[in-house]
Amino acid sequence: MTNEKTCQSCGDAQCSAHAKQPGERDEEFMDRQALQSRMCKIKHKVLVLSGKGGVGKSTVAVNLATALAMAGKSVGILDVDIHGPSVPKLLHLENARIEGREDTLFPVKMTVGKGVLSVMSIGFLLRDRDDAVIWRGPRKHGVIKQFLKDVEWGELDYLIVDSPPGTGDEPLAVAQLIERADGAVVVTTPQEISVQDVRRCVAFCRQVELKVIGVVENMSGFTCPKCGELVSIFGADGGRTMAKEMGVPYLGAIPIEPAIVVSGDSGMPIVQAKPDSATAQAFAQIVRCLATNGVDRTG
Ligand code: ADP
């Protein structure tokens, strides 16, 4: 059943799209209502953040989304990583053509196990990567806003958002525009499990009133390709200790796994390509932890 609710008929007094904000122009108010009315059809919105690029944020986002879809949920993955949109490649959708009409873009739909994964990436819209590099701050904010506003997800159990890395203007725009998100999953690696990096992310979340669902320690230890044994290269439990120090939940660790690189290149996430592997099980554990940290899986 589709959700027929509109901002005009909705009685949710908590929603900021209910009324115009001081100083807001009519056009801005209408844009905000358009975004909110799309977002309020989504039960759970989870932002995936990282202090910097290259730590596996997109890999984690794609595997979490795929694992949830495999469990029978209706899931969307939104790739707003404006400088390095890698979701199309990770899902083998580099040549996908998206449908659109007027102010509406429709995500690409994939059947994954028992569920459906709807995919939208800012990479589908960039003619080439240099487009984003030459945009100045306000232009980037405008592009992110329009992109979020125009995507028609329909009803979803989960939207997993692969945010731009860092704690600057771009992730800030995403966090402010997606109001009433369940919270953020912060991805980091043992090398940079420096208190500063995660502290910056946690401070960022507090600034935008976004709950920290927890920290994922990626590339933690190495799974021997011969015997499958997990070797702790950077020492065990660093992530858990760090999360405790920061007062945020620890969701689990993903090892350095050569199969992740292979599955990234082939466009099939490891949770789907090798569901019985220790790494897929580690992702399953993180999905379970989402539930215990406030994101209701019964959705
Ligand atoms: P980010 O989104 O943070 O920039 P990506 O998810 O694109 O990072 O990952 C960067 C690179 O690291 C990719 O080539 C990916 O395949 C690889 N990678 C990510 N996580 C792992 C892991 N646990 N083990 C091995 N390689 C990984």
Side-chain angles (χ1 to χ4, degrees), residues 52-59 86 218-219 254-257 260-261:
K52 64 173 184 183
V55 300
K57 174 178 53 60
S58 302
T59 303
S86 44
N218 188 32
M219 307 194 204
I254 306 294
I256 296 174
E257 163 70 89
I260 283 192
V261 182

Side-chain angles (χ1 to χ4, degrees), residues 50 52-61 81 84 86 90 162-163 165 187 217-221 254-265 279 283:
S50 66
K52 64 173 184 183
V55 300
K57 174 178 53 60
S58 302
T59 303
V60 169
D81 191 344
S86 44
L90 293 172
D162 184 3
S163 301
V187 181
E217 183 181 358
N218 188 32
M219 307 194 204
S220 160
I254 306 294
I256 296 174
E257 163 70 89
I260 283 192
V261 182
V262 175
S263 71
D265 289 345
T279 303
F283 277 114

